[in-house]
Amino acid sequence: MAVGIFDSGLGGLTVLDAVAKRLPDVPLVYMGDSAHAPYGVRTPDDIYDLTTKSTQRLFDAGCDLVILACNTASAAALRRMQEAWVPDGKRVLGVFVPLIEALTERQWGDNSPPREVDTKHVALFATPATVSSRAFQRELAFRAIGVDVEAQACGGVVDAIEEGDMILAEALVSSHVDALKRKMPEPDAAILGCTHYPLMAKEFQKALGAHVKVFSQAELVAESLADYLERRPEMVGPGTDSAFLTTGDPAQVSSRATQFLRRQITFDAA
Ligand code: DGL
């Protein structure tokens, strides 16, 4: 009965934590590809190869459904995986759609034509690969009209978080928010379009100002997964044990993960 959750490193733990709270009885297998993080500066082909490898590891661990809790992989690899790679009986879902549905005030799976929404000026913070894919703008255009999106590629933030250098991460967040504000002085909403960024949510909110609504994905993804599993209960795979797997150094990754989630997390080698 396990569901797989994948990220390039530690960021997907923000999604895992929300899913574990929303679905406490579902075993979760987490796979973090820390040996190859960050993905945000890699090419789409490279991201595709690494993401399929990790997803296969999660299938092998008894997961039939894998959530790519990584915007970079969702943006650069998901569509290609769904079109040509995912085996029969398995599913791979990304993290963009639940977020965009929330931003555009839609119910899950509402595929009606695009319409005007209240939010007009959106600041998107994401990795360089996610920003250059324009996947967020493409998904948004299916659902909303008249929304102006200004994207800021936040180089360095994921590396700093993976290294546990939160002082550097905070300084980078503040300089990326300043850069965004020079292009869009008054955003109505901001999207934290990388699953590492909720770990810096307070810093983003502080730099943006209290009047900007900040959307982050963890709870939205957990809610939409709960809804999906209610409709497709058979997609909870045969695995029965929760696990944390990493391609990095298990001791170092466990210690950072424990620091971020404020509970003991023990990673094993993938
Ligand atoms: N947490 C990832 C994301 O949501 C990863 C970023 C990276 O590895 O650069 O985009």
Side-chain angles (χ1 to χ4, degrees):
M1 297 221 315
V3 169
I5 298 188
F6 163 74
D7 182 46
S8 61
L10 295 166
L13 290 172
T14 59
V15 173
L16 174 124
D17 205 35
V19 171
K21 284 187 185 125
R22 181 66 183 77
L23 297 167
D25 298 331
V26 175
L28 301 172
V29 182
Y30 186 85
M31 170 76 197
D33 190 13
S34 288
H36 302 105
Y39 279 16
V41 290
R42 292 177 178 275
T43 63
D45 279 349
D46 206 6
I47 296 168
Y48 174 84
D49 289 343
L50 292 169
T51 304
T52 49
K53 218 177 262 174
S54 284
T55 303
Q56 184 61 51
R57 179 70 185 84
L58 287 167
F59 290 156
D60 296 343
C63 305
D64 287 346
L65 170 65
V66 171
I67 309 294
L68 300 186
C70 174
N71 290 267
T72 308
S74 302
L78 178 60
R79 203 201 268 189
R80 191 168 155 199
M81 289 168 75
Q82 287 171 332
E83 282 169 3
W85 181 82
V86 179
D88 280 348
K90 309 282 186 196
R91 285 299 295 269
V92 180
L93 302 175
V95 284
F96 272 168
V97 171
L99 177 76
I100 292 175
E101 286 178 339
L103 182 76
T104 56
E105 306 144 24
R106 284 178 181 244
Q107 296 300 318
W108 200 93
D110 169 357
N111 287 326
S112 58
R115 54 178 180 258
E116 288 215 22
V117 293
D118 284 346
T119 309
K120 301 286 183 217
H121 304 285
V122 176
L124 169 67
F125 296 95
T127 65
T130 299
V131 168
S132 61
S133 75
R134 297 190 59 82
F136 178 85
Q137 288 89 330
R138 189 182 64 225
E139 291 293 337
L140 184 66
F142 291 138
R143 296 170 178 82
I145 43 180
V147 183
D148 180 20
V149 178
E150 194 62 66
Q152 176 65 30
C154 298
V157 177
V158 168
D159 312 57
I161 294 173
E162 290 284 322
E163 291 298 317
D165 189 344
M166 304 317 268
I167 294 175
L168 175 60
E170 191 174 336
L172 288 168
V173 165
S174 145
S175 88
H176 287 306
V177 170
D178 285 349
L180 184 285
K181 280 181 164 171
R182 286 196 288 277
K183 298 179 281 185
M184 178 182 272
E186 298 287 340
D188 313 320
I191 304 289
L192 303 188
C194 167
T195 52
H196 283 70
Y197 300 169
L199 296 166
M200 305 301 294
K202 275 198 204 118
E203 289 72 16
F204 273 103
Q205 186 75 69
K206 188 169 146 215
L208 284 158
H211 58 288
V212 178
K213 182 165 172 46
V214 176
F215 287 82
S216 68
Q217 288 162 321
E219 280 74 24
L220 298 169
V221 172
E223 206 45 58
S224 96
L225 176 62
D227 188 77
Y228 181 85
L229 289 177
E230 212 161 279
R231 287 173 300 108
R232 303 285 309 273
E234 75 283 6
M235 288 313 296
V236 179
T240 51
D241 298 323
S242 291
F244 291 88
L245 305 174
T246 179
T247 55
D249 169 13
Q252 191 187 65
V253 173
S254 301
S255 123
R256 300 248 201 285
T258 300
Q259 175 195 344
F260 290 143
L261 293 195
R262 299 198 178 90
R263 62 184 164 91
Q264 181 62 44
I265 304 283
T266 305
F267 273 83
D268 293 314

